[in-house]
Every structure is written in C-alpha cells, then in structure tokens.
Amino acid sequence: MSGMVTQARPPRRDGSSVRIGALVPLTRPGWVEAGQHLLAGLELAVRDVNDNGGIAGSPLELVVRDTAADPRKAAAAVDELAHLGVAALVGEYHSVVARAAATRADALGLPFLCSSAVLDALTERPTDWVARLPPAQSHGWRIYADFLLGAGHRRIAVAIDPSVYWASGARVLRDHLAPRGGTVIELDMRALAPAALCDELAAHRATALLLLVGHPEPAVSIVTAVRRDQRLAEIVMGAPAGQPEFAEWAVSLGEDGAAIPFLRYLPERLGPLGVRVEAALRERLAAAPSFVAFEGYDTVAVLAEVLRAQGADRARIAASWPSVAVEGTRGRIHFSRTPGGGVWQWTWPPVQVVDRDPAEPDRFRILHTG
C-alpha cells in the first residue's frame, strides 16, 4: 500500500519518536478536500505538540495512510500501522471506512480515536479500544430534524443513494419526525434521473428535499435540476451530511449552492485556542478551515494528553478514555458511554445547522443550534 509519513519536525537524535497512525481520504473516490482539511488539523497539532516538548521529550510523529474511501484499504492500513508499532490510530472522515478501521483496531487491540465519522454503530460490538470526537449520527441528525420541524416542514423527501450511512440517516429522520407529524418520502437515486426526481417531488408536494447522496455527483446535478424547475421554486433543499461546507461545493454550484442547510460541529464563537488554531489552519490551507480541520487538531490534542499521562502502552491508552478532560478548539472534551453507541463518545461537541448566505455564498449563516 502506498502512503506517506509526515512529521512536524525531525525526530531528536537522542531518542525515538512516538508514532501515531493516521487514516485520511486523500485520493478519489474519497472526499479529497475533507481529507486535506483533516490532515491539516492533524499535522498542525503535531507541530504544536512538538514545539512544546513533544511527549516526555520525544517527538510525536504522524504516519499517514490514504484510505481513498475504501474500507478494505483502511483495514489493511490498520494492520500495517499496527505492525509498524504505532501507539494509537487517529483520523478518517468517511463513516463506512471508519467502521472498517474501528472493527479491525478493536480486533488487534489498537487504540483508535476517530476524528470525523459519525455512524452510530462504529464497531460490531461494544469496545474500550475506540473513542470518537464527532457526535453520533443519531444525535446530530435529530437536531437537524428539529430544525426542519421548527421551519414548518412536514413533508420531507430524501434523495438517497444505497449506503449504510445514508440508510442510517434516513432512519434517524423518519423515527424522529414521524411521532411529531412529519413524513419522510424516500426517493431512490439508483432509479431516478434528476428530471424524474423533480417530477416525484412535485407529485408528492414535498416542501423539503434532503440530499443523502454523494458529492459531486449526483448532488450537483440534483441541485441544478431542482433550482431550474419552476414547480419547485418554494422547496427547501438540505444536506445534513455537510456537503456544502467545503469550497468545492461553492465552486461547483455557485449561487445555486447557497441556502442549503447542513450540519457542522463548531461553537457560535471560538475561544482563544480556537481563534489561534483557526488562523494557523487558514495559513496552512490557504482557505477558511472547515470544522473537519478543527476535528483533526482536537484529535491530536486529546491523544497527546493521553500519551503524556499514560505513555505509549496501547492498553493503558485505551483504559484512559473515561478520564480524558482536555480543552480543545471547540470546547472541553471528555468521553462517556451513550446508549447503543458501543464506543467512548465526546458528549457532545457543539452542533449547528448553517447554510451559505445567498447574498454572499462564501459567508455562513447559523440557522439553528443544538
């Protein structure tokens, strides 16, 4: 497997480095822009750790492997990284890929702090080896459903691709909306072209359409078709998984990509650490950092504190998740067990529903918080 090793500074000659493995989607069909933001956050935090003495005097080293959104590549990378002797594993953006990595890490006894994947069932069984920073999908998507209800939407269509992740999201929405008078209409994008989807939306009199599909396609074609259909002038489109967060969305769709609410995991205002990290990430990325970049930074910040306290022993690292108390860029991070979760979970990161401002598509508007 091809991969690369990055580190903020060379290991000191008087001691070996402490190595952590990082899983990141850096090539297609992975969401490359998300991977770049995640890696930028990871690398910046490693640099900051090393600039402040490393781990008990030893530098922290990031060993990066590209998953390309492929669960099999991710599982193989976990095996390789475990063999290389990494103390722990971090990263991954795609939920189905993170699940494969978490399952393999659990089997090998390798601690995994998941940076950016939300699927509730991240492992096949409850485990102490895995912890997670982003909110579980059921938590964030229920907040999104409350936003829809508050905006008066009761007939909600979902354009859905076949995927465990999308199916799980649709189920969360349906289970939360149905008792509150909402209806979820599933439209299978394996069977519908964008024009046919527009016909279905008009026939069902849906007031909202959620894009539970991949980006750039078919998401871009769907948005373009709906925006051009006069019958659907009043319909609200949404993308709870966060596709509009990244610049690639705005480049692909321009004004058509605005006013499409999505979930992101940032506080209304960043504290001093967040402000400093935001400025450094902006310089590193030559663009505004997404919440995914902050997730990357916070992952290493948490793991560095654990390594300082526990050393590089894998079992001691995994046993320490319940005692974590670290100030991250987006708030104080601590882990607990959640019903049905199976992994140690930050409860909870800040959750926002935001969109791109139609008057200024590079600016985000906060519509709802939870």
Side-chain angles (χ1 to χ4, degrees):
M1 173 178 296
S2 63
M4 58 184 177
V5 177
T6 64
Q7 54 195 47
R9 63 200 307 187
R12 298 180 184 180
R13 294 179 181 176
D14 58 352
S16 61
S17 59
V18 178
R19 307 177 91 193
I20 57 175
L23 302 177
V24 188
L26 294 173
T27 55
R28 296 288 187 189
W31 196 334
V32 174
E33 190 175 5
Q36 291 167 341
H37 280 237
L38 177 56
L39 183 58
L42 294 169
E43 290 181 330
L44 176 64
V46 168
R47 188 197 74 182
D48 285 355
V49 168
N50 289 336
D51 284 348
N52 285 282
I55 307 299
S58 295
L60 190 61
E61 180 182 350
L62 200 62
V63 186
V64 181
R65 292 296 179 265
D66 173 21
T67 64
D70 185 332
R72 292 170 299 178
K73 276 192 175 182
V78 175
D79 286 343
E80 180 195 1
L81 292 164
H83 180 72
L84 289 173
V86 300
L89 193 67
V90 299
E92 196 45 49
Y93 175 79
H94 298 284
S95 280
V96 176
V97 179
R99 186 174 65 165
T103 298
R104 190 65 188 142
D106 175 47
L108 295 174
L110 179 62
F112 177 30
L113 179 52
C114 180
S115 302
S116 195
V118 300
L119 193 67
D120 280 58
L122 198 56
T123 54
E124 296 173 355
R125 62 180 185 180
T127 178
D128 288 320
W129 292 102
V130 181
R132 171 166 57 192
L133 283 181
Q137 187 178 24
S138 58
H139 178 76
W141 287 45
R142 281 196 294 261
I143 291 170
Y144 194 92
D146 287 335
F147 160 72
L148 292 173
L149 290 170
H153 297 289
R154 295 296 184 273
R155 296 185 61 80
I156 298 154
V158 296
I160 188 166
D161 270 341
S163 159
V164 171
Y165 173 68
W166 298 125
S168 173
R171 185 166 57 251
V172 170
L173 293 169
R174 190 185 310 108
D175 291 348
H176 193 70
L177 291 167
R180 296 162 178 81
T183 300
V184 174
I185 305 151
E186 288 196 28
L187 301 173
D188 186 347
M189 295 314 296
R190 292 173 298 181
L192 294 172
L197 171 68
C198 291
D199 293 338
E200 291 289 329
L201 294 172
H204 285 289
R205 302 190 308 281
T207 65
L209 168 66
L210 305 187
L211 304 168
L212 308 193
V213 295
H215 177 267
E217 292 299 338
V220 169
S221 293
I222 291 171
V223 171
T224 301
V226 171
R227 293 292 197 219
R228 302 292 181 271
D229 194 316
Q230 292 302 312
R231 298 172 298 173
L232 306 176
E234 300 301 318
I235 201 167
V236 170
M237 283 185 283
Q243 297 95 320
E245 167 79 6
F246 295 97
E248 184 181 353
W249 175 272
V251 170
S252 299
L253 284 161
E255 293 180 359
D256 284 348
I260 298 180
F262 63 94
L263 286 167
R264 72 174 181 181
Y265 309 125
L266 287 174
E268 191 167 352
R269 289 183 179 82
L270 293 168
L273 174 61
V275 169
R276 180 181 69 76
V277 168
E278 180 183 38
L281 286 169
R282 187 181 293 271
E283 181 178 353
R284 182 173 285 253
L285 289 163
S290 70
F291 71 87
V292 178
F294 289 96
E295 289 176 326
Y297 188 96
D298 286 341
T299 304
V300 171
V302 167
L303 191 55
E305 285 298 308
V306 172
L307 289 166
R308 291 185 186 110
Q310 305 299 334
D313 182 83
R314 292 172 177 176
R316 290 179 62 184
I317 292 170
S320 72
W321 299 134
S323 60
V324 164
V326 174
E327 196 63 39
T329 62
R330 298 164 298 140
R332 193 155 184 82
I333 298 168
H334 51 84
F335 299 110
S336 63
R337 291 291 198 183
T338 58
V343 303
W344 288 100
Q345 172 72 54
W346 179 13
T347 47
W348 293 100
V351 177
Q352 300 174 342
V353 179
V354 304
D355 70 358
R356 290 181 175 271
D357 187 343
E360 192 180 341
D362 287 337
R363 190 177 77 86
F364 295 109
R365 304 183 298 185
I366 299 173
L367 308 175
H368 182 76
T369 59

